[in-house]
Every structure is written in C-alpha cells, then in structure tokens.
Amino acid sequence: MHIEINIDTLLTKIIQEEDLSVHFQPIVHLQTQQIYGYEGLIRGPVNTVLHSPTRLFQAATKTNQLAELDILCRKKVICRFAKLSLPGRLFVNVDPITMLHEQFREGITLQFLQQAGIDPGRIIIELTETNPVEDIELMQHAVRHYRQMGFRVALDDLGAGYSGLKLWSEIRPDIVKVDRHFIQGIDEDRTKQQFVNAILKTATALGSRVITEGVETEKEYATLRKIGIEMLQGYYFCRPVSVPPTTLSSKLFREEPRSEDTFELLTVEHIKRPAVSAQVNTSVNHIGELFTSTPELESVVILQETEVLGMVLRKEFMNMYASLYGKDLYGKQQIMRFINRNVLQVEKYMPLEDVSFRLTTGLDLHREEFIILDNCTLDGTGRLIDLLHEITKLQVNRARHANPLTLLPGNVPIQQQLQKLFRKNNAFVICYFDLDNFKPFNDVFGFTRGDQVLRFLSELLVVNIDDQKNFIGHIGGDDFVCIFETENWQEVIQRILNQFDESISGFYNGNIGCNIRTKDRNGNTKNFGKMSLSVGAVLVSSSNTHCHIDLSKEAAIAKKRAKKMKGSSLYIHQLNIGDPSPPVPIYSFAR
C-alpha cells in the first residue's frame, strides 16, 4: 500500500512538473529509402519506477490520470519535434480510452501544433489500444473530428489488441501498423509471411497503408521487402533515441556496396562458368541425352531466342526422365514444361556481396546455381559454393583491416581510398574527428564506458554520412576519419556535432555539469569538463600534384587547430598546392 501511495504521488509530481523525456524512432519508406516520419515515444524520469512507459501508463490508468498524462505527452512530443526541426511526419500516440474521457478537450492537439508552428497535415494520430474499445460510434466520431482538423489516423499493433480487426473495418484508418509479434522471425516462419501478405492485400483493398513494426534483423527486412511492404520501423534501422538521425546509411538497403580498390574487380563475373543452353522448343529426349552423356552437367539454361527463361535442373529432370514411363510419356514433348523459373538472374558486373544477399534472401529461389547475364543475354552460370568461397575470402580480408571495436575500415582501407581518389583526380574533403577530454573520462569511468562512447560516435557517423558516396574510417582510439565527395559535407558535420552535444551527457552517470576531477597527462590533478568533438577539415581540389601531399599531416594540423577552439567545433582550411608553407585557413567557426 505504501508503495502504491508513493507511485501515485510520484505520478502527480511528474505531471505537474512535466518531468517526461521524449524519444523518436524513424519510420522508413522502403522505395525512397528515406525517413517517412517519426514516432514520438515517452519515458518517465530516469532511475524511478515510472521510467518505463508501460509502468507509467498503467499507473495513470489506475489513478484516473490517463487523460492528463496523455495531453502532457502530446505537448512534449510536439514541442520536441519542433525544437529538433525533424523532417517528415510525426506519429503521436493516443489511447482511444482517453478520447472518451470526460476531461478530454477537443482541439488541444491543434493548439499545441499552432504554438509549435507545425502543419496539422504532418501529424498522424496513432491509436494505441491498451483496453477494449466498445463504443465504436464514438471512435468513428473522434476519427472524423481529427480528420476534419487535417490529421491522419493510424491503427497501432494490428493483431495484438482486443478489437484491432474490428476497429480497422469500422474506422478505416489511413495507416495500419502490424504488431511486432508477426515480424519477429518472419524470415523463417511461413505462417507469419502469409499473415503479413494477407494484411497487405486487405489494406490495399481498404485504401490503407501498412507499416511493419519491430524489424530487427537484416533477414526480417529482406523478407518484408520481398513481400512488398511499403514502410518499416524497428531496431534494424534505428533504436528510439532523443536525437534521431534525419538520414539513414544506404548500406541498410543493401545497394551495391562501396568497395576499395582491392575489391573493385570482385563482381559475379569473377566466378562465372560456361553455360550449356538450349532453345525452348528443344525436345525432352535431347535434354535427357545431354544429362546422360555429361555426368558433371548440373543444369541447362533454356532460351527463347536470346531471352533467358530459366533452367532445367539435373536432379528434378532426371527424377522424371528416368522413371518407369517418363521417357515414353514426355520424350517427344518440348522442354518448356520442365523449366524451373525460380532461378536468380544477375548481370555480370554485380558485386559478389549483392548477389549473395539476393540469393540468400529471395523466397523460393533455387540456391545452388544462378544465371549470369551480359546486358540481359546469357553469359554464363555461377555456383553458390564458389560465391560463398569468394565472399569468405573478401570478409576475412576486410576484417584484417577493420577496427575491432567499431568494425569500421582501418588505416589500410583509408589509404586505399585516398589513393583511389588521387588516381581519379577527384576533389574531396578529408575530416579528422577527435574527442576532447576523452582520456580523463576513460580514467574515471573505465575503458568499458569509454568503448561505449567510441561506438556511439561511430554509429553517429554511420547514420549521418552516406557511405555510398563517402567514406568512414576509424584510425584507432578516439580518432576517426571521414572522406567526403558530396557537397553537403558541412551540413552533415554540423548535424553530427549537434547530435553529439545533445547526447554525450548521458554517459556521465548524472555527474553535475558532467565535470570530473582526475590527473592530467603530467600527473597533476585538475578539473575536466564535458567531452566535446573537434573536427579538422582539409579541402583538397583536383590537381596533378596530389601525390606530393601528406594528407595525414595536414589533417592532423587541422584537427589540432579545431581542438584549440571552445566546445565541439569544425576548423576548415584548403591546401595550397605547391606551397611548402602550412595551409592558410579559409575560415573557421565554433558552435
């Protein structure tokens, strides 16, 4: 009883003091490979029993404070969304029971939006069902009311609530979110695949869009992509964080991976084997004679003139042909009816890793062998065993040169990338990242916490920098390098600095002002402030004299000058090609 009273008092205090924090999780549009919007998520005060949102809302329901908490959550989410200037739509969670509460005020959400300067068209009211909703008419009225104000409506956790399917049919939401239960392990569960596929078809018929929640693994993502899901949400893309990314790494979508010079030739052509082919009107007897006379032959590619239709596979074909009446029944017929069309076809210049991904994630594909094309015409075949062998060598080679903590490319790939840019005579920007006050932090909190900070920084770089067009490397310790070829690099750096400053305090275990006292490198005890991030940028224009530049030295100079500036900062200078004197800074600025 005493605990319950304390919880009631704590909840009342939380509401009165508005002591809630907001996290956001991106919702990703698969076709555009961009962030469609963000779901706003609430957390209670840290180190209290009500930090968990589940406990928080359970307590509010029990003490009849759900309406007050719900309104406060909307206010906090909307204000935070506006403060961060996040792009796309904002998904605001609303418990349907709250909408029926006597204290619920119509128009309060619109008022918050007007104060924050957000267009109602960017808001999606996400109905989260924690209790049975029996008054469907009131629900329909509330949905109509929100739509009249310019909001759209999403139905959360479809398949998990008390009356989700009934609500879907009655209120016809704009968006349905499939519960994470049906997504976990979907790559290995045919029943879940069929369920999600049925939901997708139903949504299409009813005019709703579909978001799948709880996507955590690459295989789950690949399966949902194959089914045709439009939007996804989950840890695979990003965990809920206080400052979410505004762009996502392209490698999450498994495009052609950026490769260093040593790997650029490793396309599927590298493992190509000669193909045996036949036209579609070839007789079954002729194919049988091919397999019989050539015991090592595993397949025959079937063509219609130059178009590749598929393969006839030895094992499947010979089971039929060698049966008691197989040859007599089918021998004179055309081979068309025995073609296996579920065979992967890829162009010969496709990277090995991309082929591996398609082969291992495609549903119902024949996996032992695939067809290699040259501009859509037959060029050869490839075997899974050869593909895996080359992929293994590739991964071992990369692992040798990757930083073991962050798995980012190390010194060798960094030098290879620079050499490639020199040979191509491309202009680029090399940025040297370094943490200020990292050693004192390590001394006080230990190497484990220090490693967490390094991983946090590496993730910050990965989620903000498009590594299809740029390069991210980890030299070692708290030294990172990014090589930009995109023009918006300054905007990206400033976003990284902002997000770093927004989040780094969380690693200090609540130390007031994030100040710590420890010994410096000379053994003298002194105070150290919160960690900051220094970035030294070197602008390299296209030139035939690139080979004479000691870029590591120049980047180190730029970083050293950045570290002399207060707080997280970016220092920029351009090389004077042919001038032995130190480069003259174009400009510099601190945040």
Side-chain angles (χ1 to χ4, degrees):
M1 184 65 178
H2 179 66
I3 295 176
E4 292 181 356
I5 293 174
N6 288 340
I7 290 177
D8 296 350
T9 304
L10 176 60
L11 179 60
T12 301
K13 182 181 178 183
I14 289 171
I15 294 175
Q16 290 176 348
E17 297 180 357
E18 300 187 358
D19 190 11
L20 299 172
S21 60
V22 181
H23 286 56
F24 294 98
Q25 186 173 37
I27 295 168
V28 181
H29 193 280
L30 191 56
Q31 184 174 0
T32 63
Q33 299 185 1
Q34 295 178 350
I35 294 174
Y36 174 79
Y38 299 84
E39 180 180 356
L41 301 165
I42 290 292
R43 301 289 186 268
V46 179
N47 299 326
T48 69
V49 294
L50 297 184
H51 176 66
S52 162
T54 302
R55 293 286 299 275
L56 184 67
F57 283 92
Q58 284 176 348
T61 301
K62 190 173 182 179
T63 59
N64 199 31
Q65 298 182 81
L66 185 59
E68 294 175 77
L69 179 62
D70 180 85
I71 292 172
L72 176 59
C73 290
R74 298 188 203 189
K75 177 183 176 181
K76 298 283 286 187
V77 166
I78 290 170
C79 290
R80 182 66 175 165
F81 184 82
K83 182 179 179 180
L84 294 176
S85 299
L86 294 174
R89 291 80 174 168
L90 172 62
F91 286 67
V92 180
N93 284 293
V94 170
D95 192 314
I97 294 297
T98 303
M99 300 163 67
L100 309 178
H101 199 282
E102 59 183 8
Q103 296 182 14
F104 183 78
R105 291 182 293 154
E106 292 186 347
I108 188 66
T109 306
L110 189 59
Q111 180 182 328
F112 294 150
L113 292 171
Q114 291 170 344
Q115 293 171 352
I118 298 176
D119 186 346
R122 297 176 63 192
I123 301 301
I124 297 168
I125 300 297
E126 186 168 330
L127 303 181
T128 304
E129 186 187 11
T130 57
N131 295 281
V133 177
E134 298 175 356
D135 196 335
I136 296 295
E137 283 189 9
L138 277 177
M139 284 292 299
Q140 291 172 327
H141 172 75
V143 170
R144 286 195 298 268
H145 174 72
Y146 279 129
R147 283 178 171 155
Q148 287 171 0
M149 291 190 292
F151 304 148
R152 280 169 288 176
V153 176
L155 182 60
D156 191 23
D157 295 337
L158 183 68
Y162 299 92
S163 54
L165 291 175
K166 183 178 180 181
L167 272 179
W168 187 12
S169 65
E170 295 290 343
I171 69 175
R172 297 294 180 91
D174 303 285
I175 296 172
V176 291
K177 299 183 75 175
V178 181
D179 182 68
R180 66 184 67 247
H181 166 78
F182 299 97
I183 307 306
Q184 293 176 346
I186 191 173
D187 51 297
E188 298 178 348
D189 192 329
R190 180 68 65 175
T191 301
K192 289 183 177 181
Q193 294 172 19
Q194 292 172 344
F195 176 86
V196 173
N197 191 52
I199 290 294
L200 184 59
K201 290 180 179 178
T202 305
T204 302
L206 295 178
S208 298
R209 305 174 77 174
V210 175
I211 298 173
T212 53
E213 296 180 294
V215 184
E216 295 188 0
T217 70
E218 184 176 333
K219 289 183 178 181
E220 290 170 356
Y221 156 73
T223 302
L224 293 168
R225 184 187 66 175
K226 187 75 174 180
I227 291 173
I229 293 299
E230 181 186 13
M231 290 182 281
L232 310 120
Q233 179 181 356
Y235 287 1
Y236 175 71
F237 296 100
C238 182
R239 291 174 176 267
V241 289
S242 59
V243 184
T246 55
T247 59
L248 296 172
S249 171
S250 55
K251 69 182 180 182
L252 291 170
F253 303 95
R254 299 298 299 192
E255 292 180 351
E256 292 186 10
R258 174 196 47 74
S259 54
E260 289 76 34
D261 280 357
T262 53
F263 305 133
E264 284 182 339
L265 296 178
L266 291 182
T267 63
V268 72
E269 187 177 26
H270 185 73
I271 59 171
K272 182 181 68 176
R273 298 160 58 91
V276 175
S277 64
Q279 288 293 320
V280 69
N281 56 1
T282 301
S283 69
V284 170
N285 276 336
H286 179 74
I287 301 298
E289 291 171 2
L290 279 177
F291 281 125
T292 302
S293 61
T294 317
E296 68 276 10
L297 182 63
E298 294 296 327
S299 65
V300 176
V301 180
I302 304 302
L303 310 174
Q304 187 164 21
E305 296 183 354
T306 60
E307 180 186 358
V308 178
L309 300 182
M311 276 182 171
V312 174
L313 304 173
R314 167 183 282 276
K315 186 174 180 180
E316 295 176 356
F317 178 84
M318 293 304 291
N319 284 341
M320 174 279 302
Y321 190 71
S323 63
L324 185 59
Y325 300 108
K327 187 174 182 179
D328 293 334
L329 288 174
Y330 304 111
K332 296 181 181 180
Q333 295 185 17
Q334 295 182 0
I335 195 61
M336 178 181 293
R337 66 177 297 178
F338 299 104
I339 299 174
N340 187 326
R341 299 177 186 268
N342 292 328
V343 178
L344 181 66
Q345 299 184 32
V346 298
E347 287 288 335
K348 67 179 183 179
Y349 298 117
M350 182 174 290
L352 288 174
E353 290 174 313
D354 202 8
V355 179
S356 176
F357 174 76
R358 295 191 183 191
L359 196 63
T360 55
T361 58
L363 297 178
D364 300 322
L365 277 180
H366 173 67
R367 286 180 167 77
E368 280 70 27
E369 203 170 3
F370 52 92
I371 297 170
I372 300 174
L373 307 174
D374 182 3
N375 196 22
C376 297
T377 60
L378 180 63
D379 193 49
T381 61
R383 298 189 305 171
L384 176 63
I385 189 170
D386 296 332
L387 176 65
L388 294 178
H389 179 69
E390 292 299 327
I391 289 290
T392 301
K393 290 199 301 184
L394 178 65
Q395 291 173 340
V396 168
N397 198 9
R398 285 180 174 170
R400 287 175 53 207
H401 302 300
N403 184 281
L405 177 64
T406 62
L407 301 182
L408 291 175
N411 283 304
V412 172
I414 292 171
Q415 293 301 320
Q416 290 173 344
Q417 179 68 10
L418 290 172
Q419 291 168 10
K420 180 172 69 175
L421 292 172
F422 288 166
R423 285 199 297 272
K424 292 181 177 180
N425 198 25
N426 287 357
F428 60 92
V429 179
I430 180 168
C431 292
Y432 200 144
F433 291 74
D434 185 72
L435 290 170
D436 307 313
N437 293 331
F438 179 67
K439 183 182 182 301
F441 178 90
N442 243 354
D443 292 342
V444 172
F445 293 101
F447 291 108
T448 299
R449 181 65 61 87
D451 287 348
Q452 291 176 2
V453 171
L454 295 178
R455 281 193 290 265
F456 159 70
L457 177 55
S458 71
E459 291 168 2
L460 205 57
L461 299 178
V462 169
V463 299
N464 280 286
I465 298 173
D466 181 1
D467 66 349
Q468 290 296 114
K469 301 175 182 177
N470 308 298
F471 180 94
I472 309 170
H474 186 179
I475 297 174
D478 60 329
D479 294 324
F480 292 79
V481 165
C482 295
I483 304 171
F484 289 93
E485 295 185 78
T486 52
E487 295 182 354
N488 68 335
W489 67 272
Q490 292 184 49
E491 175 187 335
V492 173
I493 294 297
Q494 285 301 305
R495 186 165 64 242
I496 291 170
L497 294 177
N498 288 333
Q499 293 179 6
F500 180 88
D501 285 347
E502 286 270 1
S503 303
I504 194 60
S505 299
F507 291 94
Y508 279 82
N509 282 353
N511 280 34
I512 298 176
C514 300
N515 291 313
I516 56 179
R517 186 171 178 81
T518 186
K519 293 181 179 181
D520 62 14
R521 296 181 185 274
N522 298 320
N524 301 317
T525 301
K526 58 180 292 187
N527 293 323
F528 293 89
K530 181 172 63 175
M531 276 184 288
S532 56
L533 183 60
S534 294
V535 185
V538 180
L539 308 184
V540 184
S541 59
S542 57
S543 169
N544 293 328
T545 59
H546 275 170
C547 56
H548 302 296
I549 302 170
D550 186 349
L551 269 182
S552 61
K553 178 181 177 181
E554 302 294 351
I557 293 173
K559 181 198 73 170
K560 184 177 180 180
R561 293 176 180 175
K563 290 179 75 68
K564 292 181 179 180
M565 303 165 73
K566 185 178 180 180
S568 294
S569 58
L570 169 63
Y571 184 93
I572 307 174
H573 70 272
Q574 187 170 21
L575 292 171
N576 290 333
I577 303 301
D579 184 352
S581 61
V584 179
I586 298 175
Y587 61 88
S588 61
F589 56 89
R591 298 173 47 262

